[in-house]
């Protein structure tokens, strides 16, 4: 799996929060614009840049959601468990979901899901160029990308440190 794909899987659950934060920033700047020391033109340019970031994030969220709708329930569970790591979704939506397989089979299924993610990303033209176009102005995402490119960072599986555990349904 390519670095940008791992980052997309990592940040997908956080995109809504990114969008909300940008909207809060826009609202704050609009209400408190009389405090701004910049010239009006620069201030407006900055707000337009922020609005463009928001627009790109909304488009990215919609496209990624469309891609993930193409997965089966089992594949969605694996995506949620392996990549998205949203405890509330795991414990609510998949509370009674059990994968009836050995750990070896689970890892094979996980590899198939990763291959399907890659294939669907390519099918929907979600490549590295698209990723850079969408996220180039978001410093936190670009820092993740740069660190992964340099080999400084790997998106570590939380379950390795027992921060996320699932109980079998009874």
């Amino acid at each position: 799996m390519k670095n940008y794909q791992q980052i997309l899987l990592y940040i997908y659950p956080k995109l809504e929060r990114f969008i909300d934060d940008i909207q809060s920033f826009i609202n704050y700047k609009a209400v408190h614009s009389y405090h701004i020391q910049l010239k009006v033109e620069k201030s407006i340019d900055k707000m337009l840049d922020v609005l463009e970031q928001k627009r790109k994030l909304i488009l990215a969220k919609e496209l990624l959601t469309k891609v993930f709708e193409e997965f089966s329930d089992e594949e969605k569970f694996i995506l949620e468990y392996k990549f998205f790591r949203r405890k509330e979704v795991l414990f609510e939506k998949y509370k009674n979901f059990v994968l009836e397989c050995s750990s070896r089979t689970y890892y094979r299924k996980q590899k198939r899901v990763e291959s399907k993610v890659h294939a669907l990303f390519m099918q929907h033209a979600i490549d590295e160029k698209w990723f850079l176009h969408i996220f180039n102005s978001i410093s936190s995402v670009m820092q993740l990308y740069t660190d992964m490119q340099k080999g400084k960072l790997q998106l570590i599986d939380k379950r390795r440190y027992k921060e996320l555990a699932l109980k079998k349904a009874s």
Side-chain angles (χ1 to χ4, degrees):
M1 184 172 284
K2 300 189 184 224
N3 290 340
Y4 77 93
Q5 293 171 338
Q6 289 182 39
I7 292 170
L8 285 172
L9 291 173
Y10 178 73
I11 66 171
Y12 172 72
K14 299 162 181 61
L15 283 177
E16 193 65 41
R17 184 169 162 212
F18 269 125
I19 293 165
D20 291 344
D21 288 349
I22 288 174
Q23 186 60 51
S24 297
F25 175 78
I26 291 168
N27 292 344
Y28 177 84
K29 287 294 188 182
V31 170
H32 296 91
S33 61
Y34 58 88
H35 287 299
I36 297 175
Q37 300 297 323
L38 298 173
K39 290 185 177 178
V40 174
E41 294 84 12
K42 285 187 179 183
S43 179
I44 289 172
D45 284 344
K46 185 172 175 80
M47 293 298 282
L48 288 173
D49 290 343
V50 172
L51 283 169
E52 180 62 13
Q53 284 180 0
K54 180 182 174 189
R55 187 188 69 79
K56 288 179 179 180
L57 288 175
I58 290 170
L59 290 173
K61 175 133 177 82
E62 289 172 354
L63 182 57
L64 291 171
T65 300
K66 182 180 174 183
V67 167
F68 295 135
E69 287 173 354
E70 297 184 33
F71 287 87
S72 70
D73 284 342
E74 183 178 85
E75 292 167 334
K76 286 178 184 176
F77 171 78
I78 291 171
L79 278 172
E80 194 66 51
Y81 184 71
K82 173 70 177 162
F83 297 105
F84 301 158
R85 304 177 185 139
R86 296 177 290 193
K87 288 182 185 180
E88 66 278 358
V89 174
L90 283 169
F91 291 122
E92 290 172 14
K93 185 175 180 182
Y94 296 105
K95 181 168 62 173
N96 296 320
F97 192 86
V98 177
L99 280 175
E100 295 290 337
C101 62
S102 67
S103 59
R104 189 172 174 184
T105 303
Y106 166 76
Y107 288 111
R108 282 191 207 118
K109 288 180 181 193
Q110 185 176 296
K111 286 291 182 196
R112 281 194 294 268
V113 168
E114 289 177 13
S115 296
K116 187 171 181 177
V117 165
H118 177 73
L120 286 173
F121 278 11
M122 294 299 103
Q123 182 180 338
H124 290 275
I126 302 173
D127 56 7
E128 200 158 9
K129 184 178 176 184
W130 177 89
F131 172 83
L132 293 171
H133 172 72
I134 296 293
F135 295 103
N136 67 346
S137 59
I138 301 172
S139 61
S140 57
V141 175
M142 291 313 296
Q143 186 63 49
L144 274 174
Y145 179 73
T146 304
D147 288 349
M148 284 187 80
Q149 292 293 88
K150 291 178 181 175
K152 292 182 180 178
L153 174 73
Q154 292 180 350
L155 297 178
I156 297 172
D157 190 348
K158 287 184 176 183
R159 287 173 307 288
R160 193 177 299 167
Y161 299 103
K162 308 255 189 255
E163 291 179 26
L164 179 65
L166 288 180
K167 296 179 182 175
K168 277 200 163 190
S170 39

